[in-house]
Amino acid sequence: MNASITVVILAGGQSQRMQVPNKASVLFRGKPLIKHVIDHMHSQAKNIVINTHQNQKDFDGYNLPLINDISDKKEGPLLGILSSLKAIQSDWIQFVPCDTPYLPENLITRLVEVVKVQKTLIAVPQTIDGLQSTCLLCHSSTLENLQKFFNAGGRKIEDWIRQLPFSLVNFDDPSQFININTKEELEKASL
C-alpha cells in the first residue's frame, strides 16, 4: 500500500446518460458503483478522497474526505482533476472514475514503476481500446500547466496529457477499465 499517493475518485459527473441524479450511487452487484472503486483502491493506497460537483450527501457513508469542484459550471472530469490538484498536498495523485468497478489491483504499482524509470510527470494506462485517460497518475507539479490549459479553454484530458512528459502503461485486459455510463451498460456488465 502506498502512503505517498492520494487516490481521487472522480464523481462529479452529471449522470445524464444513466438518467439518475448520481451514477456513483447506482447499485451494481449489490453495492454502489463507487464502493467497488473504493474497495479496489483501498488495497493500493492509504489516502482516498472523492471529488464531487454535487450530491455531497450521497457520499456521507463512506467516511472519506470530499473535494468540491472549484467552479459551479459543469466542465467535465478535467475540472475535477484541476480542483483536486489544487486541494491535495501529496506529490502524486492517482485519479480514477467512480464508474469503473473492475480496476486492476496493481494499477498504482504499475504506473509508479513507469514514471520512476521514464522520469515523467504523468502515467496513463493504455489497452487495446486506447488511452484510459481518467485513470491517470500525475505529479502535483502539473497543476500550473493544467491551470493554463484550462484557462485557455482546454477541456479534454488527453489533449492536456499530450503536451507534458507522459508515459503509457499497457494493460492487457481492457475489461478492467470498463466504464458504466448507461442502464444498458449496467445490465450488460451484471451478466
Side-chain angles (χ1 to χ4, degrees), residues 144-162:
E144 187 179 338
N145 179 280
L146 177 54
Q147 185 69 69
K148 287 178 183 171
F149 178 82
F150 198 84
N151 290 348
R155 294 297 181 269
K156 288 190 175 181
I157 298 171
E158 199 169 313
D159 291 347
W160 171 59
I161 291 167
R162 291 192 181 280

Side-chain angles (χ1 to χ4, degrees), residues 68-85:
N68 293 319
D69 283 340
I70 55 174
S71 167
D72 288 339
K73 293 181 181 176
K74 294 176 173 71
E75 301 273 12
L78 202 60
L79 176 61
I81 293 171
L82 177 62
S83 302
S84 300
L85 280 170

Side-chain angles (χ1 to χ4, degrees), residues 42-184:
H42 256 307
S43 63
Q44 301 184 56
K46 184 178 176 186
N47 303 313
I48 299 177
V49 301
I50 298 172
N51 163 255
T52 182
H53 189 76
Q54 54 195 358
N55 303 317
Q56 283 85 351
K57 288 187 174 108
D58 293 349
F59 304 113
D60 285 349
Y62 300 113
N63 298 316
L64 295 173
L66 299 179
I67 295 174
N68 293 319
D69 283 340
I70 55 174
S71 167
D72 288 339
K73 293 181 181 176
K74 294 176 173 71
E75 301 273 12
L78 202 60
L79 176 61
I81 293 171
L82 177 62
S83 302
S84 300
L85 280 170
K86 285 181 174 236
I88 291 172
Q89 301 302 309
S90 304
D91 285 342
W92 290 95
I93 303 172
Q94 173 69 59
F95 291 96
V96 290
C98 68
D99 60 358
T100 48
Y102 301 123
L103 287 167
E105 299 292 342
N106 63 349
L107 177 65
I108 291 177
T109 304
R110 298 260 330 266
L111 298 182
V112 167
E113 284 172 0
V114 172
V115 292
K116 282 183 179 175
V117 170
Q118 297 184 4
K119 301 197 181 332
T120 53
L121 298 174
I122 295 177
V124 186
Q126 178 175 251
T127 68
I128 55 168
D129 294 336
L131 287 188
Q132 306 301 320
S133 56
T134 51
C135 293
L136 74 148
L137 172 74
C138 74
H139 194 268
S140 59
S141 66
T142 60
L143 171 59
E144 187 179 338
N145 179 280
L146 177 54
Q147 185 69 69
K148 287 178 183 171
F149 178 82
F150 198 84
N151 290 348
R155 294 297 181 269
K156 288 190 175 181
I157 298 171
E158 199 169 313
D159 291 347
W160 171 59
I161 291 167
R162 291 192 181 280
Q163 58 170 355
L164 288 163
F166 75 100
S167 300
L168 293 175
V169 183
N170 288 314
F171 283 80
D172 294 332
D173 185 359
S175 71
Q176 293 177 314
F177 296 94
I178 285 174
N179 288 71
I180 298 179
N181 291 305
T182 65
K183 290 180 179 174
E184 292 75 26

